[in-house]
PDB file of all heavy atoms in Angstrom:
ATOM      1  N   VAL A 100      -8.525   4.996 -18.304  1.00 98.00           N
ATOM      2  CA  VAL A 100      -8.924   5.645 -19.576  1.00 98.00           C
ATOM      3  C   VAL A 100      -9.353   4.472 -20.537  1.00 98.00           C
ATOM      4  O   VAL A 100     -10.308   4.499 -21.234  1.00 98.00           O
ATOM      5  CB  VAL A 100      -7.800   6.494 -20.145  1.00 98.00           C
ATOM      6  CG1 VAL A 100      -8.094   6.879 -21.534  1.00 98.00           C
ATOM      7  CG2 VAL A 100      -7.720   7.768 -19.255  1.00 98.00           C
ATOM      8  N   GLN A 101      -8.439   3.498 -20.623  1.00 97.00           N
ATOM      9  CA  GLN A 101      -8.758   2.463 -21.584  1.00 97.00           C
ATOM     10  C   GLN A 101     -10.006   1.586 -21.193  1.00 97.00           C
ATOM     11  O   GLN A 101     -10.700   1.152 -22.171  1.00 97.00           O
ATOM     12  CB  GLN A 101      -7.535   1.425 -21.530  1.00 97.00           C
ATOM     13  CG  GLN A 101      -7.583   0.387 -22.663  1.00 97.00           C
ATOM     14  CD  GLN A 101      -7.696   1.004 -24.150  1.00 97.00           C
ATOM     15  OE1 GLN A 101      -6.841   1.864 -24.406  1.00 97.00           O
ATOM     16  NE2 GLN A 101      -8.642   0.596 -24.874  1.00 97.00           N
ATOM     17  N   TYR A 102     -10.272   1.403 -19.982  1.00 98.00           N
ATOM     18  CA  TYR A 102     -11.466   0.784 -19.488  1.00 98.00           C
ATOM     19  C   TYR A 102     -12.700   1.534 -20.075  1.00 98.00           C
ATOM     20  O   TYR A 102     -13.628   1.050 -20.634  1.00 98.00           O
ATOM     21  CB  TYR A 102     -11.589   0.624 -17.997  1.00 98.00           C
ATOM     22  CG  TYR A 102     -10.653  -0.366 -17.343  1.00 98.00           C
ATOM     23  CD1 TYR A 102     -10.199  -0.147 -15.990  1.00 98.00           C
ATOM     24  CD2 TYR A 102      -9.994  -1.350 -18.059  1.00 98.00           C
ATOM     25  CE1 TYR A 102      -9.313  -1.035 -15.405  1.00 98.00           C
ATOM     26  CE2 TYR A 102      -9.045  -2.256 -17.499  1.00 98.00           C
ATOM     27  CZ  TYR A 102      -8.714  -2.035 -16.111  1.00 98.00           C
ATOM     28  OH  TYR A 102      -7.810  -2.916 -15.596  1.00 98.00           O
ATOM     29  N   ALA A 103     -12.620   2.944 -19.853  1.00 98.00           N
ATOM     30  CA  ALA A 103     -13.693   3.662 -20.224  1.00 98.00           C
ATOM     31  C   ALA A 103     -13.911   3.739 -21.751  1.00 98.00           C
ATOM     32  O   ALA A 103     -15.132   3.641 -22.241  1.00 98.00           O
ATOM     33  CB  ALA A 103     -13.518   5.136 -19.758  1.00 98.00           C
ATOM     34  N   VAL A 104     -12.830   3.857 -22.438  1.00 98.00           N
ATOM     35  CA  VAL A 104     -12.944   3.852 -23.983  1.00 98.00           C
ATOM     36  C   VAL A 104     -13.451   2.526 -24.494  1.00 98.00           C
ATOM     37  O   VAL A 104     -14.346   2.404 -25.454  1.00 98.00           O
ATOM     38  CB  VAL A 104     -11.685   4.329 -24.577  1.00 98.00           C
ATOM     39  CG1 VAL A 104     -11.619   4.150 -26.130  1.00 98.00           C
ATOM     40  CG2 VAL A 104     -11.269   5.697 -24.187  1.00 98.00           C
ATOM     41  N   SER A 105     -12.819   1.468 -23.969  1.00 97.00           N
ATOM     42  CA  SER A 105     -13.321   0.087 -24.374  1.00 97.00           C
ATOM     43  C   SER A 105     -14.742  -0.201 -24.094  1.00 97.00           C
ATOM     44  O   SER A 105     -15.452  -0.722 -24.942  1.00 97.00           O
ATOM     45  CB  SER A 105     -12.465  -1.004 -23.769  1.00 97.00           C
ATOM     46  OG  SER A 105     -11.114  -0.794 -24.055  1.00 97.00           O
ATOM     47  N   TYR A 106     -15.283   0.293 -23.007  1.00 98.00           N
ATOM     48  CA  TYR A 106     -16.691   0.173 -22.720  1.00 98.00           C
ATOM     49  C   TYR A 106     -17.560   0.867 -23.740  1.00 98.00           C
ATOM     50  O   TYR A 106     -18.499   0.299 -24.315  1.00 98.00           O
ATOM     51  CB  TYR A 106     -17.009   0.737 -21.277  1.00 98.00           C
ATOM     52  CG  TYR A 106     -18.433   0.991 -21.030  1.00 98.00           C
ATOM     53  CD1 TYR A 106     -19.321  -0.165 -20.707  1.00 98.00           C
ATOM     54  CD2 TYR A 106     -19.052   2.259 -21.183  1.00 98.00           C
ATOM     55  CE1 TYR A 106     -20.707   0.076 -20.518  1.00 98.00           C
ATOM     56  CE2 TYR A 106     -20.426   2.413 -20.927  1.00 98.00           C
ATOM     57  CZ  TYR A 106     -21.266   1.364 -20.590  1.00 98.00           C
ATOM     58  OH  TYR A 106     -22.632   1.567 -20.452  1.00 98.00           O
ATOM     59  N   ARG A 107     -17.153   2.022 -24.089  1.00 98.00           N
ATOM     60  CA  ARG A 107     -17.984   2.873 -25.195  1.00 98.00           C
ATOM     61  C   ARG A 107     -17.829   2.166 -26.497  1.00 98.00           C
ATOM     62  O   ARG A 107     -18.792   2.015 -27.297  1.00 98.00           O
ATOM     63  CB  ARG A 107     -17.392   4.236 -25.272  1.00 98.00           C
ATOM     64  CG  ARG A 107     -18.211   5.266 -24.393  1.00 98.00           C
ATOM     65  CD  ARG A 107     -17.701   5.015 -22.898  1.00 98.00           C
ATOM     66  NE  ARG A 107     -18.446   5.990 -22.012  1.00 98.00           N
ATOM     67  CZ  ARG A 107     -18.128   5.896 -20.750  1.00 98.00           C
ATOM     68  NH1 ARG A 107     -17.167   5.190 -20.174  1.00 98.00           N
ATOM     69  NH2 ARG A 107     -18.758   6.813 -19.878  1.00 98.00           N
ATOM     70  N   GLN A 108     -16.719   1.603 -26.837  1.00 97.00           N
ATOM     71  CA  GLN A 108     -16.537   0.868 -28.089  1.00 97.00           C
ATOM     72  C   GLN A 108     -17.511  -0.259 -28.202  1.00 97.00           C
ATOM     73  O   GLN A 108     -17.986  -0.537 -29.248  1.00 97.00           O
ATOM     74  CB  GLN A 108     -15.069   0.348 -28.198  1.00 97.00           C
ATOM     75  CG  GLN A 108     -14.689  -0.105 -29.613  1.00 97.00           C
ATOM     76  CD  GLN A 108     -13.276  -0.432 -29.567  1.00 97.00           C
ATOM     77  OE1 GLN A 108     -12.477  -0.663 -28.651  1.00 97.00           O
ATOM     78  NE2 GLN A 108     -12.698  -0.481 -30.918  1.00 97.00           N
ATOM     79  N   THR A 109     -17.667  -0.974 -26.963  1.00 97.00           N
ATOM     80  CA  THR A 109     -18.696  -2.031 -26.943  1.00 97.00           C
ATOM     81  C   THR A 109     -20.110  -1.612 -26.979  1.00 97.00           C
ATOM     82  O   THR A 109     -20.907  -2.201 -27.854  1.00 97.00           O
ATOM     83  CB  THR A 109     -18.542  -2.853 -25.702  1.00 97.00           C
ATOM     84  OG1 THR A 109     -17.073  -3.380 -25.697  1.00 97.00           O
ATOM     85  CG2 THR A 109     -19.464  -4.049 -25.551  1.00 97.00           C
ATOM     86  N   VAL A 110     -20.486  -0.592 -26.235  1.00 98.00           N
ATOM     87  CA  VAL A 110     -21.953  -0.262 -26.058  1.00 98.00           C
ATOM     88  C   VAL A 110     -22.404   0.685 -27.203  1.00 98.00           C
ATOM     89  O   VAL A 110     -23.572   0.680 -27.550  1.00 98.00           O
ATOM     90  CB  VAL A 110     -22.333   0.255 -24.744  1.00 98.00           C
ATOM     91  CG1 VAL A 110     -22.023  -0.825 -23.606  1.00 98.00           C
ATOM     92  CG2 VAL A 110     -21.627   1.498 -24.437  1.00 98.00           C
ATOM     93  N   MET A 111     -21.539   1.412 -27.689  1.00 97.00           N
ATOM     94  CA  MET A 111     -21.807   2.413 -28.693  1.00 97.00           C
ATOM     95  C   MET A 111     -21.632   2.153 -30.215  1.00 97.00           C
ATOM     96  O   MET A 111     -22.312   2.606 -31.059  1.00 97.00           O
ATOM     97  CB  MET A 111     -21.141   3.841 -28.382  1.00 97.00           C
ATOM     98  CG  MET A 111     -21.414   4.366 -26.968  1.00 97.00           C
ATOM     99  SD  MET A 111     -23.220   4.591 -26.560  1.00 97.00           S
ATOM    100  CE  MET A 111     -23.691   5.908 -27.626  1.00 97.00           C
TER     101      MET A 111
END
Side-chain angles (χ1 to χ4, degrees):
V100 167
Q101 190 56 52
Y102 293 155
V104 172
S105 296
Y106 165 78
R107 271 71 180 185
Q108 191 174 22
T109 298
V110 300
M111 301 305 290

